[in-house]
Amino acid sequence: MEKRHELYRGKAKTVYGTDDPQRLVMHYRDDVSAFDGAKLAKLDRKGETNNRINAYVMGKLAEAGIRTHFVSLLNERESLVKAMTMIPVECVVRNICAGSMAKRYGIEEGTRLSEPIFEFFLKSDALHDPLVNDDHIRVLKWATTAEIAQMKALTHRVNAVLKPLFANAGIDLVDYKLEFGHPLDDPKGDLVLGDEFTPDGCRLWDAKTGEKLDKDRFRRDLGQVIEHYREVGRRIGASL
Ligand code: UDP
């Protein structure tokens, strides 16, 4: 496999093409951003830390029979993934109320939910990722009825794997965001999990102390961001 031209530069990752049109290289940079790119910084070792944590979590999901775009770790900062056509919505699952849900409904952060709550957001920095429902997604043709059902079902399956994985490490999996797509080598098949699972896209609280171990440390200027990301990796058993 040969790495080729840059295809896309996101806020924390850069995606490169390869000599195989069905494979891409995902490069995890040290950049961190919050509030739709309004707050930016570089954090030493973030790229390698997230690359490792993501590889470990994607591996656990694959072991549980959940298809992901992850193929293999290439080096410290890069992983090989399947090229996909992405659905332009973000799937959020919440086990504990926090962040935008706490603000929107005036519910105290930390309120435990009797069952997971699923939310869709449109992927659009310009519009600040507005909350959307099934009808918006279907009628505006961002995804079909079948894809909407699959995104929900897959997200709940992911939750059933990850909630205990983090709980066993003494961590509450509060909420997180997933993205799905169709691999280029199977465009009509079932949806496959794409993007990443790292402390950048979830909330993780120490189960005993409630200490934040995720990107809220950056959003809320709590300091020692990567030290806490690495603590997460170490506790769940990712080799860092
Ligand atoms: N999230 C994300 N990317 C986004 C929006 C949300 O990774 O563009 C994650 C976020 O880190 C959190 C969960 O999804 O773990 C729910 O986020 P929320 O809606 O509470 O928004 P926030 O207040 O984090 O902007």
Side-chain angles (χ1 to χ4, degrees):
M1 192 280 305
E2 190 188 304
K3 183 173 153 189
R4 294 215 171 138
H5 49 288
E6 178 179 320
L7 289 180
Y8 172 76
R9 189 178 164 90
K11 292 192 286 283
K13 301 190 294 291
T14 306
V15 178
Y16 296 89
T18 71
D19 52 348
D20 177 351
Q22 296 180 351
R23 294 283 181 273
L24 302 175
V25 171
M26 234 179 206
H27 179 107
Y28 288 79
R29 306 196 313 274
D30 283 343
D31 298 302
V32 59
S33 80
F35 312 120
D36 300 318
K39 179 171 177 175
L40 299 168
K42 264 195 199 315
L43 299 172
D44 196 35
R45 303 189 82 185
K46 174 170 182 281
E48 61 183 78
T49 302
N50 276 3
N51 188 33
R52 293 279 182 158
I53 293 176
N54 178 67
Y56 182 80
V57 172
M58 291 285 171
K60 287 289 172 190
L61 294 173
E63 274 172 28
I66 296 166
R67 291 168 73 205
T68 84
H69 72 155
F70 180 82
V71 178
S72 60
L73 263 179
L74 292 174
N75 56 52
E76 265 202 337
R77 291 171 175 275
E78 293 180 329
S79 289
L80 189 66
V81 299
K82 290 184 175 182
M84 304 227 284
T85 311
M86 298 302 290
I87 306 277
V89 301
E90 301 185 340
C91 301
V92 167
V93 174
R94 302 178 186 276
N95 296 306
I96 299 176
C97 181
S100 74
M101 180 183 161
K103 271 205 207 94
R104 190 182 322 120
Y105 303 122
I107 297 168
E108 197 184 343
E109 263 209 330
T111 304
R112 279 173 195 267
L113 304 168
S114 56
E115 38 184 304
I117 288 183
F118 182 95
E119 294 173 342
F120 280 123
F121 293 88
L122 178 64
K123 236 178 117 64
S124 165
D125 276 350
L127 300 174
H128 305 294
D129 293 354
L131 183 74
V132 293
N133 68 22
D134 297 26
D135 280 359
H136 296 120
I137 295 174
R138 184 177 45 81
V139 176
L140 299 172
K141 300 200 185 315
W142 295 320
T144 65
T145 305
E147 288 168 334
I148 291 168
Q150 268 184 46
M151 285 191 278
K152 289 187 191 176
L154 283 166
T155 302
H156 285 294
R157 279 180 66 198
V158 168
N159 205 39
V161 176
L162 296 190
K163 228 178 110 175
L165 184 135
F166 284 100
N168 288 336
I171 297 171
D172 280 332
L173 178 56
V174 174
D175 58 27
Y176 54 95
K177 183 258 302 180
L178 301 178
E179 295 181 28
F180 294 93
H182 291 286
L184 296 193
D185 58 13
D186 183 20
K188 299 231 186 298
D190 290 344
L191 282 174
V192 168
L193 180 63
D195 194 45
E196 66 175 56
F197 190 100
T198 69
D200 270 3
C202 61
R203 287 195 171 89
L204 302 166
W205 295 349
D206 182 282
K208 281 211 183 86
T209 64
E211 187 180 32
K212 296 184 196 313
L213 308 171
D214 56 74
K215 199 164 87 174
D216 273 347
R217 298 203 69 85
F218 173 68
R219 292 191 189 96
R220 303 181 191 189
D221 293 320
L222 300 175
Q224 296 202 300
V225 180
I226 297 312
E227 288 78 356
H228 286 81
Y229 281 28
R230 295 182 73 80
E231 166 75 9
V232 168
R234 198 183 54 72
R235 282 209 222 167
I236 62 176
S239 56
L240 292 179

